[in-house]
Amino acid sequence: MAKVTVRYWAAAKAAAGVAEEPYEAATLAGALDAVRERHPGELTRVLERCSFLIDGDPVGTRGHETVRLTEGGTVEVLPPFAGG
């Protein structure tokens, strides 16, 4: 398990009610499961439309269960937004 910071942007930030928070997970899938558990409701729906950066690198179409997290790393949660 790696300790990571999950940062929320735009609609994800509004739905979470915080800009960032710490999690422990081995993979992106594990981190997102923990996020959904902590924030049931609107954030769960927003996550379905998000893209993700891990330590600045786009996840793209890779399976979230295959994306390993590193100790002290960052997961950026980027919902679609107008103009972007």
Side-chain angles (χ1 to χ4, degrees):
M1 294 282 230
K3 293 179 183 177
V4 298
T5 299
V6 175
R7 290 193 182 129
Y8 305 105
W9 297 96
K13 181 178 173 181
V18 296
E20 64 182 44
E21 55 192 356
Y23 283 93
E24 287 189 30
T27 65
L28 176 57
L32 294 177
D33 287 345
V35 167
R36 289 181 191 99
E37 186 175 312
R38 188 179 292 177
H39 300 282
E42 183 61 24
L43 183 55
T44 297
R45 289 183 288 280
V46 170
L47 289 175
E48 293 173 6
R49 300 182 309 271
C50 288
S51 58
F52 304 95
L53 299 178
I54 306 298
D55 300 330
D57 294 324
V59 171
T61 60
R62 291 182 286 163
H64 295 169
E65 67 283 351
T66 69
V67 179
R68 307 286 305 163
L69 302 178
T70 59
E71 185 70 24
T74 303
V75 176
E76 307 276 350
V77 179
L78 306 167
F81 58 94

